[in-house]
Structure formats: C-alpha cells, structure tokens
Amino acid sequence: MASAVAAVLSGTLLAPAPASDAAPDCDTYTHANAPDLGMAACGDPIGQGQTFRAAVTCGRAPDVKGAWATVGRGGHEVSRGRCARFGSGVGANGVDERPV
C-alpha cells in the first residue's frame, strides 16, 4: 500500500504487464478422424519458454488432461488428451499454461 501511495504521489504509476504477453500462442482442436482425441498445439512467440497441456472435456466420460509439453524459443509443440471410448467424444478443448 505504501509503495502504491508513493508511486501516485511521485506522479509515476506502475502497471503490471498484461498476462497475455507471457502466454503461449495456442490452437485447440479435435482430431478429424478420431473424435475422442483432443489436442492443444502451442508456439512460443516471445521466446521465453512455456509449459502447457491439453485440457479436454469429454462427453459422457471423465475429462482428461494431456501430458505437459514445453515449448522453447520459437518452437512449437502439441499435447494430446484422449477421452474414453465408451463416451461420446470430445466436448471441448482448453489449455493449462504455466511459464517455465
């Protein structure tokens, strides 16, 4: 609190960097020939390294997470999660992210 007051009094306002600057650039999709396979494909546009995994919401089966993947400077990686065959396939795909 005191540092915020001091910043305002000195005329300098410090703002945190937006979280999106540190996030990998990801696309999520369901495999065209395997409706039970959800994927997250991510690249690292800012070159700081990122770790991510696919977070797959399954229809009538338990939700699954893909293996953690680390994408380095300018790289591209894919994480996959497969729903149980007795379910109705992938309902939605997402990404869990964390900086390296």
Side-chain angles (χ1 to χ4, degrees), residues 4-5 7 19 28 38 43 59 61 83 85:
V5 171
T28 59
C83 297
R85 293 221 178 247

Side-chain angles (χ1 to χ4, degrees), residues 29-32 34-39 56 79-83 89-90 93:
Y29 50 97
T30 300
H31 194 281
D36 59 336
L37 181 61
M39 294 178 267
V56 182
S79 175
R80 298 166 182 85
R82 186 175 296 272
C83 297
V90 174
N93 289 309

Side-chain angles (χ1 to χ4, degrees), residues 50-74:
Q50 296 289 327
T51 299
F52 70 95
R53 68 180 175 184
V56 182
T57 302
C58 300
R60 287 183 235 146
D63 298 343
V64 296
K65 305 282 186 181
W68 286 104
T70 300
V71 60
R73 302 185 143 212

